[in-house]
Each structure stands twice: as structure tokens, then as C-alpha cells.
Amino acid sequence: MKTRLLIAVMGMAFATCALGATPTTLKLQKGGTTVPTTTPVGGAPLTTLEQDPAMTAGDADSGDGDELGAQPVVNRSIARGHAGSNRIGNARRAKSNPQLLGGFDGLNFHDQRYANGGNQFSVEPPDQGLCAGNGFVMESVNDVLAIYDGSGNELVGPVDLNTFYGYPAAINRTTGAYGPSITDPSCYYDAGTQRWFQVVLTLDRIGTTSSLAGTNHLDIAVSQTANPTGAWNIYHLPVQNNGTQGTPDHGCTGGFCLGDYPHIGADAHAIFLTTNEFALFGSGFYGAQIYAISKQALASGAASPNVVLFNGGDPSVPAPAFTVWPAISSGGQYVDTLGGTEYLLSSDAVFYDSGISNTIWLWSVSNTQAIDTAPTTLVLGVSPLTVQTYAVPSSLAQQKPGSAPLRDCFALAGCAPTYLGYPNIVYPTPRPMAVNDSRMQQVSYANGKLWGTLDTDVLLANGSHGSGINYFVINPKSGGVSVNGTLALPDANLTYGAAAVTQSGRGVIAFTVVGPNDHPSAGYASLDAKLGAGDVHVAAAGAGPWDGFTGIPYLAGDRPRWGDYGAAAADGNTIWTASEYIAQTCTLAEYLTAPLFQCGGTRAALGNWATRISAIGL
């Protein structure tokens, strides 16, 4: 997709500044309450309606016209050309994992598809949310969540998010009625209020049809106590930004904006949600949006918490605002200067035709203590930071060969037409797997510093382009970069990094490891404010290759997908990480053994992604 960008990227440096734009006040609508309750797992192994036609009816990047369903309406990519870097991966693989306290498999494609009695869609890639605290670990992936104790015992789950948020099922396979479309979950445990926060993007339908109404909102669930298995309050924040439901009018093509890719952060006084604003029914990117919401009001269950919005697409904002990721706090550490301050980070390589940059952007929202009394006095600031050159990675990675029954069924004469209902098509063995672009990933604030990561292009030892992880440790008060480097292996890709840090300033980067000698695996590396990143550890080796439906023209265009983001969370001196990996392998014969396509309950017909949750002691 060649999106017409609505932001001019200025090729000039400027001093750190506070912007004069006054934030917009909004209305937060309180809904009902919910208690996470395990839903039954089951349903038909494959149906004629496996994907949500409003969300996956064609890939806007592909230009193909042979996908299922109607014309695609959601167009959410802005990455430019892929450019090489001269940096060669030279990190070492650790031979042991002495700090790995334990781990367990989290949610997977089977849970996603068959939760709520199978009244769910097949969804790929896995969007990973993870939060931890008070002896619990909560994971949200795509449209399901689960809650575990500190030993990895599943207390609740899988819970489909339509049920959790009080909506009808994503698709009622008896009546054909559609519920709202839910995507992009993130969660956060706030030690200061001892509350759990879960956010998703929800798109409304026209009645119970598959068509989107245009209205969309961030649904925010807030636990009523420190126990996430108990009751939660639900709030709704409209983000279509077309002048309806109290939103400002940003003039998005087609009449409705989309609050895509929401992520969560917090300071002492406010919860911060950020989105990438695209036109929902047309082309165009309109700048990241930054929402600040009274944290105390949310935690207490108030009827109408104060909300303000900073529009990153406003012409007065000198930074290219895309994926402006707010910092999560480590153990209740917050910035107390300037009346309370939240920091955020973003990158800009995706805006350049070269795909290369040596700039990231440091954002701040200050005077947050006024969110309850004078919300329009919050102040937005932004400044550029010069960092090591990074580049948008090559989009595809090799993976280790192995059994991939979905791919094999498409290649075998008669198999796909008989069992899947699609014509035969032959793919490379193994199929290439997607990596991330260079947008900023999870940001943490700990020990007075900001910690963040993004994917970057690197050269592998065989001369091909791959993906590594550029990491930053920043002193936000001075704007100084304490440490900045690239973590990369010579023989494998590292992608979708997420950094979390203890209160004392000891960090971990979680990521996926994949390459010609590695099935998609859950990896991690230590991160130190002076020494940088350590050796690459594999917390759980992949059992087989990725074997999903994206990238298959009959199902989802020609763009294979792997993940949108990973997650990590600090709980005392333990870092919990969640990375996408492949936990299973099976043969085509096993795939075609009853119950069909499930390989003993380890996958579903159209995918086999899984997640690995690991505890790392520091």
C-alpha cells in the first residue's frame, strides 16, 4: 500500500520545546461491569467463514483482488522502502539460561479460534499483551485472554474478549449474526493504584451484519480490586474523530477515522492511551493520537473520568507522529517534575523513501497532576534525539524447514480442494515469515530512565538482509542517550522486541528468534544502562515452522504476518516476558486425522502460532 502521508517530515533539528496546542476535552462513557469467566472451547473445525470480512477481506498492501469477502476497508500500513544497513549481527547465543526461573505456554491459535464454543474468527498475526503484579499474570492475545498465578497455573481462560467486554459473540455460527470486531489488546498492572487496565480497539457493526458502522472506540476495562479474576468496570472512549459522540473532526477520508494500534502507559496521575489514526473507509494517515485519562477516577470507578486528547497530526506538531508509545511504570516509579510527567517515544524511518533514520523522538505530557481539576492545562512537548542509524528491515525472514501441513495440503493435488475448499497452490519450502517494521515498541520508565526498542535492518553473515533489535536507554530530563546499540545474531532474525525493567534498572528484551536454523522461538537478552544488551537466550525453542493463512492469496493476500507487537512486564525483581513462537509440529496425516486440522488440540486449520510466557529473575 502506498499511503498518501498527511505529515510533512521536516529535515531540521530543533530545541526541546513545549507545544502551544491546547488539548481537546472528551467524554468517557462508563458502561457495565464484567467478571472474566472461562468460555467453552469447541465448535466446527473449519467453516466457510473463517475470517472477519470487514477486517481481513483482502490485504491493502497486496493489491490482489482474489481474497474472500468484500473490498477491504482498513488500510493500516505506512512503511516505505526497505534499505540495507552496514551493521552485521555479532551477538552471541547463550549456552545456558541461569536466570530463567520458569515458563509455560500461553494462549495459542487453537484458543483464539475455538473459544466461546467456536464463535470466533481465525485471526493472525498474534497481537501480544502481558501484565503482571500482585501474584498474577494476565495475557491478552488477539480476541482472547487468560489469567495465571505466579506458577503458571491457568486460573481463568480462555475468555473471548467479546464476552469479557459484554458484547455478542464475534460471529454467532448458528444465526450468522456478527458482534463488534475487537482487536489490538494491551494490558497494564499499575502498582500505584493496585488496579489492572486492559484496552482494546472495538469497531461497531451496522446492526448484526458484517459491515462496519464507522464508529469505533477504545474499550477500557479497569479491575475493581488488585485481583484480576474479580469484577471490572468498563469504559468506552470514541475515537472515530469525525465530530460525532463528542469527538473532534480530523477530516478523515470517508468520514470516519480509525484509532488503530492502541497502547497503554501511565504516570502518577493519568493513564495514557495512544493510537495511530488512519482513515477507516479510505486512504490516509492522520497522525498519532495521545489520550490522557484520570487514573484515580478510573481506579475508583467514577462515572465520567476526565479525558484530554493531543492530536499528533496537528500542523503545530513538528514531529512525524507515528506509534508514539507511552511508558509504563516499573513498580510505581513515576516522574514528579513539572507537575507530573509522562514520557513517550517514537521513530520516523518509516516516513522516508530510504527507510533509514538516525532520529527518534522524545515526547512528554507534563502537569498531569491537573487532570482532575484543570485538564486543558496539560502540556505536550517533543524533541528529536540523535541515535545510531536504524533502518526498516527487509519484510521477510527465512525459517528452518519442517512439517507445515497447511502449506503441504495446498501443495498436494486434491488436498486443499477436498479438505479446505480452495484450489491447489505451491509455496516455497519453508514459507518465508514476516518481521516487524521499525516502529517503536514497548517503552518502560525505571530508575530515572526510559528504555525502548525497535526493529532494524541488519546484514547476516551470509550477506542477506535480516532483522535485529535497536535498543535505547535515555535520560529523559537531559535528553541524553545513556546507551544505544543493536542486538543481532549473524545467522537468525530477532524481531518484535519488548523491554521491561525492574525498579533498580535491570532490564530484559523479549523477542522472537527465527532463521534458517531456527523455528520461531521465544528469546530474550538482558539490558543494562551501561553495558547494553547481553547474550541472546532462547527461553523456548520452536518445535516447527510457522504455518499460517496470511500470505495465501485465497485467504489473506500475499503478505504473510507474524506479530504486531510483543510484551514484557516487571514484577519486583522478576521480568515476565511473552513472545510469539511455535509450540507444536505435526504431519499432514495428523492434520487430516479427526478431529480435523487440530493435531491433538495444538493448532487450528489456518494457523499454529503460540505464545511463551517466561519468568526471568534479576
Side-chain angles (χ1 to χ4, degrees):
M1 188 263 303
K2 302 297 187 294
T3 303
R4 295 188 299 272
L5 299 183
L6 303 183
I7 291 179
V9 181
M10 303 299 292
M12 56 183 291
F14 60 95
T16 301
C17 63
L19 306 177
T22 301
T24 302
T25 58
L26 302 174
K27 296 179 180 179
L28 190 62
Q29 305 162 356
K30 186 178 182 182
T33 60
T34 188
V35 176
T37 304
T38 302
T39 56
V41 175
L46 185 68
T47 71
T48 57
L49 186 62
E50 281 298 309
Q51 302 161 71
D52 183 341
M55 295 295 290
T56 57
D59 189 325
D61 286 344
S62 73
D64 294 341
D66 54 355
E67 298 87 359
L68 298 176
Q71 179 69 18
V73 294
V74 181
N75 195 339
R76 302 182 287 178
S77 175
I78 69 170
R80 300 295 189 91
H82 306 292
S85 143
N86 292 322
R87 191 166 302 278
I88 296 178
N90 57 7
R92 298 181 304 175
R93 292 179 186 248
K95 296 181 179 179
S96 63
N97 300 319
Q99 295 174 311
L100 186 63
L101 303 179
F104 55 93
D105 285 345
L107 295 163
N108 60 30
F109 196 105
H110 187 274
D111 298 325
Q112 158 67 54
R113 174 59 183 83
Y114 298 119
N116 196 18
N119 292 303
Q120 293 266 96
F121 291 110
S122 290
V123 180
E124 190 177 60
D127 296 340
Q128 174 67 64
L130 182 80
C131 43
N134 194 38
F136 298 95
V137 178
M138 189 168 96
E139 181 187 31
S140 302
V141 183
N142 290 345
D143 295 341
V144 284
L145 69 78
I147 300 170
Y148 311 90
D149 65 19
S151 299
N153 298 305
E154 190 174 69
L155 305 176
V156 182
V159 182
D160 71 287
L161 291 183
N162 280 64
T163 296
F164 177 73
Y165 281 98
Y167 295 121
I171 175 66
N172 186 315
R173 297 196 178 278
T174 301
T175 66
Y178 288 77
S181 182
I182 294 179
T183 186
D184 289 355
S186 290
C187 69
Y188 166 66
Y189 175 73
D190 184 73
T193 58
Q194 294 189 320
R195 293 292 185 270
W196 300 77
F197 296 84
Q198 158 92 16
V199 61
V200 296
L201 169 63
T202 300
L203 294 87
D204 296 324
R205 308 277 190 184
I206 298 176
T208 60
T209 71
S210 64
S211 299
L212 296 180
T215 52
N216 58 105
H217 35 97
L218 301 184
D219 286 345
I220 308 156
V222 185
S223 69
Q224 295 182 3
T225 70
N227 185 340
T229 66
W232 297 59
N233 296 319
I234 305 294
Y235 293 88
H236 308 289
L237 178 64
V239 293
Q240 63 266 15
N241 291 342
N242 65 348
T244 64
Q245 297 181 334
T247 64
D249 190 350
H250 290 173
C252 288
T253 303
F256 292 87
C257 301
L258 173 72
D260 188 43
Y261 207 69
H263 284 97
I264 190 169
D267 82 335
H269 310 288
I271 289 292
F272 286 82
L273 304 178
T274 62
T275 65
N276 287 331
E277 187 162 274
F278 290 89
L280 178 55
F281 296 134
S283 296
F285 173 62
Y286 292 78
Q289 307 297 304
I290 302 173
Y291 298 87
I293 310 171
S294 169
K295 186 168 71 174
Q296 190 55 50
L298 287 172
S300 65
S304 185
N306 284 348
V307 185
V308 293
L309 165 63
F310 290 98
N311 177 12
D314 189 278
S316 68
V317 177
F322 174 66
T323 310
V324 180
W325 202 301
I328 57 174
S329 163
S330 179
Q333 293 183 341
Y334 308 111
V335 183
D336 59 7
T337 56
L338 300 176
T341 300
E342 169 71 356
Y343 289 110
L344 313 89
L345 293 175
S346 68
S347 62
D348 63 10
V350 296
F351 289 95
Y352 296 101
D353 289 336
S354 67
I356 299 175
S357 179
N358 66 348
T359 301
I360 63 172
W361 296 84
L362 172 62
W363 302 73
S364 65
V365 178
S366 57
N367 197 35
T368 59
Q369 65 183 5
I371 187 68
D372 289 307
T373 56
T376 59
T377 65
L378 273 65
V379 178
L380 178 68
V382 63
S383 61
L385 300 178
T386 300
V387 297
Q388 180 186 92
T389 298
Y390 61 95
V392 178
S394 300
S395 60
L396 297 177
Q398 286 183 278
Q399 54 174 338
K400 181 180 178 180
S403 178
L406 176 62
R407 177 205 65 200
D408 295 344
C409 189
F410 266 99
L412 182 64
C415 185
T418 300
Y419 291 99
L420 302 175
Y422 301 108
N424 287 112
I425 186 168
V426 178
Y427 291 97
T429 305
R431 292 171 63 202
M433 197 187 83
V435 297
N436 200 5
D437 59 25
S438 64
R439 71 186 68 194
M440 188 64 63
Q441 294 292 276
Q442 182 173 303
V443 178
S444 295
Y445 177 79
N447 200 30
K449 295 180 175 63
L450 284 178
W451 313 65
T453 65
L454 53 80
D455 276 23
T456 184
D457 185 272
V458 295
L459 290 174
L460 302 180
N462 63 5
S464 66
H465 289 280
S467 176
I469 294 173
N470 207 314
Y471 55 85
F472 317 92
V473 182
I474 297 164
N475 185 329
K477 293 182 180 179
S478 67
V481 180
S482 299
V483 66
N484 173 205
T486 297
L487 180 68
L489 289 173
D491 60 346
N493 297 270
L494 309 180
T495 188
Y496 293 102
V501 191
T502 66
Q503 293 186 51
S504 62
R506 304 182 69 187
V508 168
I509 309 171
F511 43 79
T512 295
V513 182
V514 60
N517 303 310
D518 296 273
H519 297 308
S521 302
Y524 70 92
S526 64
L527 181 59
D528 183 89
K530 294 182 180 179
L531 301 177
D535 294 344
V536 172
H537 298 254
V538 174
W546 162 75
D547 186 38
F549 68 88
T550 55
I552 297 177
Y554 302 115
L555 296 172
D558 63 2
R559 182 185 174 211
R561 302 291 306 279
W562 174 241
D564 273 351
Y565 45 90
D571 184 13
N573 292 324
T574 300
I575 301 288
W576 290 92
T577 67
S579 297
E580 295 90 351
Y581 90 124
I582 299 299
Q584 63 83 240
T585 185
C586 64
T587 65
L588 178 58
E590 292 169 324
Y591 179 75
L592 298 178
T593 299
L596 281 173
F597 315 126
Q598 298 180 55
C599 294
T602 63
R603 62 167 296 159
L606 301 186
N608 67 334
W609 57 257
T611 64
R612 182 71 177 184
I613 300 174
S614 304
I616 300 158
L618 298 178

